[in-house]
Amino acid sequence: MSASYSWPGGLPQVPQSTGYSESIGTNVSRLPMDSGKAKIRFSSLRGDKLSLQYLMTGAQLDIFEDFVKNTIRYTRRFYLPHPRRKGTISAPLSVGYTNIDPMFVNSVNRSSGAYYRNNSSLAYASPNTVRYEKGSGILVESAATNLSIESVTPASWFLGAVTLGSNIASPDSEYPAKQWLETATTGPHYTTFADVPVSANERVVASVYVRELNPALKRYVSIMFPAAQFTANKEVFIDPATGLFGAPAGITEFGSEKIGTYYRFWAATSATVSGTATIQIRLSTSISSVSPSYAGNVLAGGIFWGRQVEIKASGGPTSLIRTTTAAATRAADSITASIPTAAPDMVEAVLSFNNGVAYRKTEVAPNHYIVSFDAEILPI
Amino acid sequence: MSRLTTMSPEAIKALFSPNSDDTLVVLLTVYDPVNTTTAVVRLADNFNKRILEDERDVYYGITSRGTDFIFIPMEISLPTEEHNTAPRASIVLRDVTRYITPLIRGLSGPPRIKLELVLYSNTDSVEAYFDYFYITNISYNNDTVSLDLGMIDYQTEPFPCYTFTPSYFPGLF
C-alpha cells in the first residue's frame, strides 16, 4: 500500500531555489580510536531531509493549510514532487544526438565499429559502445554504406596529374592523411572517390576531409559529379583554409564541418542515369571555375583523407565509414537509455517538525506568501 | 568458548572492520507465559523493509527465516558472563507506537525471551542467540519500556529440595 495523499495539484509544484537544501546520509556508529581515524559502521537507514520554500498566493495558502491540518493532519505521509529528481523511462534513443550522460545508457547494440567526434579529432568506437560527443550528446545513426573503397588510406587513391607527398596526421591519427602535389603539367589535377555504382534518381552524397597544403600557393578543392550519370558536370568548390564555398555549378546541397585543422566537405545531388560514376576531388587555382585545367606547380596541392559516397535521401553525410577493398556498411545504433521525463519523481515524505513548528508563512507581497517547512523522505 | 568462534567471518568483519557497511541486528522474540512455545511478539532493532503499512503508519522491520520482526528502537545490554550469578540482560524499548503496552498489561506470568543476532546483510543466518531468559521486571512510561531479563538461577534453589518441615514429615513433630 502506498501513501494515500498527494501534494495538491493547485499548489506550486517546484519550490523556490532560495532556502532549498537537501540533507542526505545514513545513520552510522562512530567509535573513536586511541589513535588514527575512528571506526565507522553502518547503523541504519535514514530518510533524506529537505528544506523547502514555496511562493504561494493567498488562495494557495488556504489549500496548503487545509492539506496539512485536515488531510495529512500534520503527521501522515504524502507524495511530494521531489524538487530535484525527475522520473525516468527506459526508451530507445532516436537517430541524431541525444544530450544525456552516457551513465544513463542501459544497452548498446551496434555490430560494427564507428567514428565519432572527440573534441577536435575523430575517435573510433568499438562495436557495441556508446559514441558520446561532448556538447552534442550520444550519437545514434541508421545503417549506412560507404561505396568508396579505401576510404581512410589515401595512398591507394587515384592519381590524376598529382603525386603523393608525405603522410600528414589525419583527424583519426590512426590512418594518416596524404599530401597531394600537382605535377608540372597543364590539365586537371585531381583524385577520385573511386568507381561507385549509382542508379537513376538516387541522391548521392560525397564527402572528403580536406586541409590546406601551401598557403603561398593557394589551391581550392571541389567535388565534381560527372556528366555521364549526372547530366552535366556538377561541381562546388571550398577554400580548405576557411571553409568558404565558391559559386556552385548545378549543385544546391553542400556543406562543411570543421574538425581540428580539417574541413569535412560534402556535396549532394541526384543521378539521372544509372552507371558507374567516378566522382572527382579536384584542385583549382580559382574558387569558381568549373572543370579547371591549369599548369600545375609541384609545391602546390592539398591534403586529403576520409572519402565517402553514400546513397541518402536527405541531409549530409553520416559519420565516416572505414572501407578497404570493397564497400562497407556501418551497422545501425540501437541504444536504450534512462531518459528523464518531464514529471518529477514523487517521493513519500512526512513533515519534519522544527521545534514543534510544522511550517512557517511570511507575507512577502500583497496576497503572496513564502511558506517554508522541512520534510523527510521515507527511507524505504 | 569465545563467542567469536561461532560467528561467521562476515559478522566478525562487520564488527572489527574500520569502515563497515554491515552491522548486527538484534531480534527479540517474546513467548507466551502459559504456552511457552508460542511467540506473542517479535521485534528487531533495525529494519530493511516495510512489514505493514496503512493509511496512517508504516511499520518497518526485518524478515528472518520467513518470520517478520517489527522494528522498534531499543537499547540492549547483552547478557553478562559472571561466575557467581546467572546471566542478566536488559532491554529498553522506545515504544512510541504503543505497540507493546497492551501486550504488557495482559501478561499473566514471566514471559520467555529469546535474543538473536543476525547480520543486516544476511538476516536468515543467526550469528548468536541467547535463549531461556525470562522477563523479571517491567517498567514503562510514556516514552520507553524497560525490561529486566534473567535466567532461572539454580544455584540459589534449595538442595536437596525437601526439608524436614511439618508438611512433609508430620511424624517428626
Side-chain angles (χ1 to χ4, degrees):
Chain A
M1 184 183 186
S2 14
S4 303
Y5 313 106
S6 292
W7 182 253
L11 296 182
Q13 301 297 300
V14 180
Q16 303 286 298
S17 58
T18 305
Y20 168 70
S21 68
E22 287 182 68
S23 163
I24 299 171
T26 190
N27 294 322
V28 296
S29 300
R30 189 172 179 278
L31 181 63
M33 299 284 104
D34 286 345
S35 62
K37 67 185 181 71
K39 278 188 179 181
I40 295 176
R41 188 171 74 241
F42 165 76
S43 177
S44 63
L45 298 173
R46 196 201 80 173
D48 297 344
K49 294 177 180 174
L50 305 173
S51 290
L52 304 165
Q53 283 190 357
Y54 292 86
L55 178 62
M56 297 185 189
T57 63
Q60 288 176 323
L61 180 59
D62 291 341
I63 296 174
F64 175 77
E65 295 199 321
D66 179 64
F67 176 70
V68 171
K69 292 176 180 174
N70 302 320
T71 304
I72 63 170
R73 304 181 72 165
Y74 297 99
T75 56
R76 295 174 180 170
R77 68 192 191 280
F78 61 96
Y79 280 117
L80 175 72
H82 196 286
R84 178 179 48 82
R85 296 200 319 238
K86 299 281 189 183
T88 58
I89 54 168
S90 183
L93 301 185
S94 51
V95 170
Y97 287 100
T98 305
N99 200 358
I100 61 171
D101 195 287
M103 66 182 288
F104 296 114
V105 169
N106 299 324
S107 68
V108 184
N109 190 354
R110 185 190 60 248
S111 59
S112 59
Y115 278 106
Y116 65 101
R117 287 188 64 139
N118 182 19
N119 297 324
S120 59
S121 62
L122 293 181
Y124 197 70
S126 303
N128 302 322
T129 57
V130 172
R131 292 186 287 169
Y132 177 70
E133 300 181 6
K134 282 183 183 174
S136 299
I138 295 172
L139 176 59
V140 172
E141 291 182 302
S142 306
T145 299
N146 185 356
L147 300 172
S148 186
I149 63 172
E150 306 289 356
S151 65
V152 292
T153 49
S156 304
W157 298 1
F158 178 79
L159 300 174
V162 287
T163 58
L164 289 175
S166 306
N167 285 345
I168 301 292
S170 72
D172 174 20
S173 76
E174 185 178 348
Y175 291 90
K178 272 286 183 190
Q179 288 181 333
W180 296 75
L181 302 166
E182 296 167 356
T183 56
T185 57
T186 298
H189 304 274
Y190 66 102
T191 181
T192 71
F193 285 90
D195 296 335
V196 294
V198 297
S199 299
N201 301 319
E202 277 184 345
R203 182 172 175 274
V204 181
V205 181
S207 59
V208 62
Y209 288 81
V210 299
R211 180 180 154 185
E212 184 170 56
L213 173 65
N214 187 348
L217 295 167
K218 188 77 176 175
R219 291 293 184 267
Y220 303 93
V221 178
S222 77
I223 293 176
M224 191 188 81
F225 294 90
Q229 288 79 34
F230 296 88
T231 307
N233 284 345
K234 296 179 176 177
E235 193 167 19
V236 61
F237 282 87
I238 189 173
D239 180 344
T242 64
L244 297 176
F245 299 102
I251 294 178
T252 57
E253 295 179 287
F254 52 88
S256 69
E257 178 189 30
K258 194 171 193 320
I259 296 183
T261 54
Y262 286 80
Y263 282 94
R264 190 182 195 195
F265 171 38
W266 67 271
T269 191
S270 295
T272 52
V273 178
S274 300
T276 300
T278 305
I279 306 167
Q280 295 183 7
I281 303 167
R282 288 208 176 207
L283 292 165
S284 172
T285 54
S286 166
I287 198 168
S288 58
S289 63
V290 175
S291 305
S293 177
Y294 59 95
N297 186 319
V298 295
L299 297 178
I303 299 171
F304 302 142
W305 181 80
R307 64 184 180 181
Q308 181 153 301
V309 175
E310 298 169 78
I311 306 301
K312 198 163 176 280
S314 62
T318 63
S319 62
L320 180 62
I321 300 165
R322 284 180 180 172
T323 58
T324 52
T325 56
T329 298
R330 182 195 60 245
D333 294 283
S334 174
I335 299 177
T336 61
S338 296
I339 302 169
T341 59
D345 210 0
M346 301 296 280
V347 291
E348 281 186 275
V350 292
L351 293 181
S352 289
F353 286 81
N354 194 349
N355 293 326
V357 177
Y359 63 89
R360 294 180 187 277
K361 53 185 176 183
T362 307
E363 187 169 18
V364 291
N367 201 37
H368 283 77
Y369 302 86
I370 286 288
V371 177
S372 59
F373 61 90
D374 292 345
E376 180 171 345
I377 300 172
L378 299 191
I380 299 176
Chain B
M1 185 166 62
S2 167
R3 182 67 66 184
L4 290 177
T5 59
T6 65
M7 297 175 76
S8 69
E10 290 77 14
I12 294 170
K13 181 184 174 189
L15 289 174
F16 293 113
S17 172
N19 297 303
S20 173
D21 61 354
D22 210 346
T23 190
L24 286 170
V25 179
V26 176
L27 306 179
L28 175 71
T29 306
V30 182
Y31 291 92
D32 189 311
V34 178
N35 186 3
T36 56
T37 57
T38 303
V40 292
V41 59
R42 291 186 171 92
L43 305 173
D45 74 342
N46 213 325
F47 65 94
N48 61 7
K49 62 185 291 189
R50 292 184 181 191
I51 301 291
L52 289 169
E53 55 183 330
D54 57 25
E55 186 182 15
R56 291 190 303 175
D57 286 318
V58 175
Y59 294 92
Y60 292 106
I62 275 178
T63 300
S64 175
R65 294 149 290 166
T67 303
D68 291 336
F69 293 76
I70 301 290
F71 165 65
I72 287 182
M74 50 184 160
E75 299 164 14
I76 296 170
S77 300
L78 288 176
T80 57
E81 293 186 11
E82 297 174 12
H83 291 297
N84 300 324
T85 62
R88 303 188 69 81
S90 67
I91 299 172
V92 178
L93 305 176
R94 303 288 177 186
D95 178 29
V96 293
T97 60
R98 303 289 186 273
Y99 179 67
I100 293 294
T101 318
L103 296 170
I104 293 171
R105 288 178 174 156
L107 288 177
S108 58
R112 181 165 73 91
I113 292 286
K114 182 163 72 172
L115 284 172
E116 295 169 300
L117 297 179
V118 297
L119 270 179
Y120 187 85
S121 60
N122 181 12
T123 56
D124 287 331
S125 177
V126 176
E127 299 292 342
Y129 70 96
F130 310 93
D131 204 353
Y132 292 101
F133 278 87
Y134 290 86
I135 297 177
T136 57
N137 186 44
I138 300 176
S139 60
Y140 62 87
N141 57 28
N142 57 349
D143 282 335
T144 61
V145 177
S146 299
L147 309 175
D148 290 338
L149 309 181
M151 302 189 84
I152 298 173
D153 190 351
Y154 292 104
Q155 289 181 330
T156 61
E157 293 294 319
F159 181 82
C161 61
Y162 295 115
T163 56
F164 290 105
T165 61
S167 60
Y168 287 126
F169 301 94
L172 291 177
F173 297 91

